[in-house]
Amino acid sequence: MATKLGLLCLTLLLQTTYCGVVSQIPLRSNGNISIELFNDLEELSRIVDIAYCVGLTGTGIQKPFLCASRCQDFDNFELVTTWNTGQLLSDSCGYIVLSHPPSEPRIILAFRGTYSVANTIVDLSTIPQEYAPYPGDDGVEESDRYEGLRKPPKTAKKAECLNCAVHLGFMKSWQYTKPLVLPYIKEMVQKYPEYKLVLVGHSLGGAVAALASLEFEARGWNPQVTTFGEPKIGNEGLVEYLDKVFARNGDEGITHRYRRVTHVDDPVPLLPLTEWGYQPHAGEIYISKLDLPPQVKDLRSCKGDADPDCIAGAENGRDNPTMPFNEQQAGIKGIQDWWKENKGALSVPPRWRIWQIFFAHRDYFWRLGLCVPWHDYKDWYSQYPEPP
């Protein structure tokens, strides 16, 4: 009943601004983001934006690292490979690149989001399925499980995944992507053991990056993960497992290893719905500014899995003012007077603002999702001081 009501509400929201709930949009920033972290996230947003050059509508990425988008920003990048599973196999696309000195030495996997808004909504509506963490019964030989091992997978062994469930569509997308990227990652971590393994994803690509990161951590590759507009990937059990896997020294905060960047008004981090069994995980960094570009003061590091001062606060609302009905003898004029008095208090909860997939969901430091030439980022970026 609740699901049917929610879907009906979604339909009505495309035609009206009233749906029985007022959203509480958190706009505070406590200024706890460093300039160094801000610069890192901004750079990663450009790196993941390049992933939109891969796929049916993209113009591609060529070696050494050439594309119609922001490739010219990264002189020290060397393209390893691109992948595209195709629309029939979850439409997973992205690329692997080496970042050589004098840039920070990194092996980077960039996961693209989806172009199809319709598919996005359908994919976000499925019930969580059972999740078995890697290594498991996946047909992988024991001798192959820790090939390229950088450190003993102690963290993953300590964390148990109890009653874990995952979004089936996201898991299938990773399963289709895995054979296309894993051989390259194995080779790169062995060839460049001093390079940091970095995963970055936008939108549904963020969900695939999350699942990939759990396997990479279990393999002992110690990845750092950054996602922009990542949807919820599973239930409370999976969330607790991910938090434990990426926590360090018992610290509940995981943002030094996993940064889940969200943006005010972006509905995707609030989906799939909590009512369907999905929960957000920790590591959130919240952008509170509505328009572009954000500044350091507009970002805050959030506490726990669902900080009410961050994107989760958009789900905590108060009731709308009650509209009088004819049965209450309000009459047409009474209803009109009520509307004039209360219309400013009525709004659409952010998780139902599906049209924001075109706007707020793409506004992470830049407008992401188009493989097109852009103006020199330094024109904007130079206004921020360099780290000391």
Side-chain angles (χ1 to χ4, degrees), residues 198-259:
V198 173
L199 278 62
V200 59
H202 173 242
S203 189
L204 301 187
V208 180
L211 296 173
S213 71
L214 289 173
E215 176 165 336
F216 290 175
E217 176 66 14
R219 287 177 178 269
W221 292 344
N222 195 28
Q224 182 186 76
V225 192
T226 303
T227 63
F228 300 92
E230 174 195 329
K232 301 172 188 175
I233 62 171
N235 69 345
E236 183 178 3
L238 183 57
V239 164
E240 291 179 353
Y241 175 70
L242 186 147
D243 291 350
K244 290 177 183 177
V245 164
F246 283 97
R248 180 172 290 172
N249 298 326
D251 183 9
E252 292 184 0
I254 65 172
T255 52
H256 57 287
R257 296 200 54 210
Y258 200 120
R259 290 87 64 89

Side-chain angles (χ1 to χ4, degrees), residues 6-16 352:
L7 294 175
L8 175 61
C9 183
L10 174 59
T11 303
L12 293 175
L13 282 172
L14 299 178
Q15 307 173 35
T16 180
W352 294 119

